[in-house]
Amino acid sequence: MLGLALLCGAVTAAAWSGGDWSDATLLVGLSVTLGVLALGIIVSGIRGKQSGAVGGFAFLAAVALVFLGLFPTGTAFFPVGVPVWKVSTDADSSPPGYAVLAGRATFDLTALNSVGPAERTIDVWMGVGVTELILPSDRSVQVETNALIGGIDYVGDAAAAERGGLFFHDSHTFTDDDTRTVTRIRVWTALGQVTVIAPAPLESS
């Protein structure tokens, strides 16, 4: 059954790709493999046998499928801890997103001050923990927060008070210069807090 599942997944992926490998091809191949493994588990149950290794491989295939479906290729992943990331000015060489299972993640976005007028979206996935964003001082940044249970705390911006709750959503734009070229930070949290260190407003001379 394992051999049949791998064969079906590989043949389907090869036929789907047409010679051009992509994330979609891998997802299709894994989906077919998982479907065949699921069929094998059902047949084993009907025959009164345990799934054995087929169940283990099916679980791994399901985890891989969920991971690839949620996170784009190149996502920086940190399981548990206190990672500190400096977001690069080069969008092409930077990860499309960052994922942390549990911990306190800090994102230094101050380097974006030197970036020219170009739109950019950065996704941050946090399972359980705190996400800290250090924003640039002279670039429009939109912070969007989505959490099952959580909240957001703005530091240095009097116009935005701390808030939170169940199925929480919040969006706030900093250093808005009435242009459409903004950097968008989207934070997805299962359970946790987002702390935004906003730039201090410039005093008029």
Side-chain angles (χ1 to χ4, degrees):
M1 183 55 66
L2 289 175
L4 180 62
L6 293 175
L7 177 62
C8 291
V11 171
T12 303
W16 176 274
S17 67
D20 185 16
W21 187 263
S22 65
D23 291 345
T25 301
L26 184 57
L27 287 173
V28 170
L30 276 175
S31 298
V32 173
T33 301
L34 182 59
V36 176
L37 290 175
L39 180 62
I41 293 174
I42 293 174
V43 172
S44 297
I46 293 175
R47 297 178 60 188
K49 296 183 178 180
Q50 296 182 351
S51 60
V54 175
F57 276 96
F59 175 77
L60 293 177
V63 171
L65 193 62
V66 171
F67 186 85
L68 291 173
L70 287 178
F71 307 131
T73 301
T75 298
F77 181 72
F78 198 95
V80 179
V82 189
V84 177
W85 279 296
K86 283 184 175 290
V87 178
S88 171
T89 58
D90 187 359
D92 294 331
S93 63
S94 298
Y98 303 84
V100 181
L101 290 180
R104 182 184 183 92
T106 300
F107 297 87
D108 187 350
L109 305 166
T110 54
L112 297 178
N113 283 329
S114 59
V115 178
E119 292 186 0
R120 182 177 177 185
T121 300
I122 302 172
D123 286 299
V124 177
W125 292 273
M126 171 63 76
V128 179
V130 177
T131 303
E132 183 178 83
L133 306 176
I134 304 175
L135 303 186
S137 59
D138 60 356
R139 181 167 181 83
S140 294
V141 177
Q142 180 184 15
V143 177
E144 180 182 318
T145 304
N146 302 276
L148 293 179
I149 302 176
I152 189 166
D153 180 23
Y154 294 102
V155 179
D157 184 31
E162 182 178 358
R163 57 179 70 91
L166 182 65
F167 300 113
F168 177 72
H169 172 78
D170 182 78
S171 181
H172 192 78
T173 301
F174 298 85
T175 320
D176 191 356
D177 54 6
D178 296 326
T179 65
R180 295 185 178 181
T181 56
V182 300
T183 298
R184 188 181 184 193
I185 312 296
R186 298 186 300 188
V187 182
W188 312 87
T189 306
L191 175 62
Q193 179 82 9
V194 177
T195 300
V196 179
I197 302 177
L202 297 176
E203 297 181 359
S204 60
S205 57

